[in-house]
Amino acid sequence: MMRALVLNGPNLGRLGVREPDVYGTASYEDLVVAAEKWGAECGIQVEVRQTDDESELIGWLHEAVDAGVHVVLNPAAFTHYSYSLRDAAAQVTKAGLVLVEVHLTNPYGREAFRHVSVIGPVATGTVAGFGLDSYRLALSAVASRA
Ligand code: DQA
């Protein structure tokens, strides 16, 4: 069975509690359950992880490359400034694996600092603005691209 890591960056563990007017009322646990179900529906064995730590997230991308596993990545605020995360993400796509950048919100409709993604240029593609559904669309893209 195809495998994918669904990786989430800082503050996403606080989904449902953090600015629900912006990020919705679904909890991180809801995201985990939904992503596992959506993965199974498209034939992907999904493992969902979250960290507030940049180096841990980079390590998980290295792990994906070494294990040949596709990635759905919500880099959260790292999206906008982490060149080290970008360099790790580039290794995933250079290895011929799919990496879909996802966002719950549409960063282009928000503050100017969110209009730049340093991850986007090295991702296979980006899904943003559909709430939890962004992850479903991303997993479906992995299934059809991989
Ligand atoms: C986010 C958008 C980012 O700008 C923000 O820093 C996040 C979440 C999203 O999923 O909409 O933490 O990645």
Side-chain angles (χ1 to χ4, degrees):
M1 194 179 198
M2 187 191 301
R3 288 179 58 208
L5 287 177
V6 175
L7 304 179
N8 295 283
N11 298 301
L12 290 170
R14 301 204 31 93
L15 269 184
V17 179
R18 167 200 188 197
E19 301 182 76
D21 50 319
V22 176
Y23 294 108
T25 52
S27 67
Y28 175 69
E29 203 40 51
D30 293 336
L31 166 62
V32 173
V33 170
E36 287 172 354
K37 175 171 125 348
W38 290 327
E41 283 169 6
C42 48
I44 306 174
Q45 188 190 325
V46 161
E47 189 183 332
V48 187
R49 302 181 191 172
Q50 189 274 329
T51 182
D52 295 333
D53 185 303
E54 188 178 19
S55 85
E56 185 167 36
L57 196 49
I58 290 167
W60 289 344
L61 291 175
H62 296 167
E63 180 188 326
V65 172
D66 293 344
V69 172
H70 304 291
V71 176
V72 170
L73 173 65
N74 186 340
F78 292 148
T79 305
H80 313 300
Y81 66 88
S82 175
Y83 298 122
S84 46
L85 191 66
R86 174 205 167 101
D87 287 350
Q91 294 172 55
V92 177
T93 46
K94 290 273 182 188
L97 298 162
V98 177
L99 183 144
V100 184
E101 176 190 6
V102 295
H103 299 285
L104 296 153
T105 63
N106 176 2
Y108 299 104
R110 303 183 61 194
E111 301 96 322
F113 76 87
R114 298 186 203 276
H115 297 178
V116 171
S117 170
V118 301
I119 308 296
V122 297
T124 310
T126 300
V127 181
F130 299 98
L132 283 196
D133 233 19
S134 292
Y135 290 79
R136 183 179 63 75
L137 296 165
L139 285 164
S140 148
V142 170
S144 56
R145 284 294 300 248

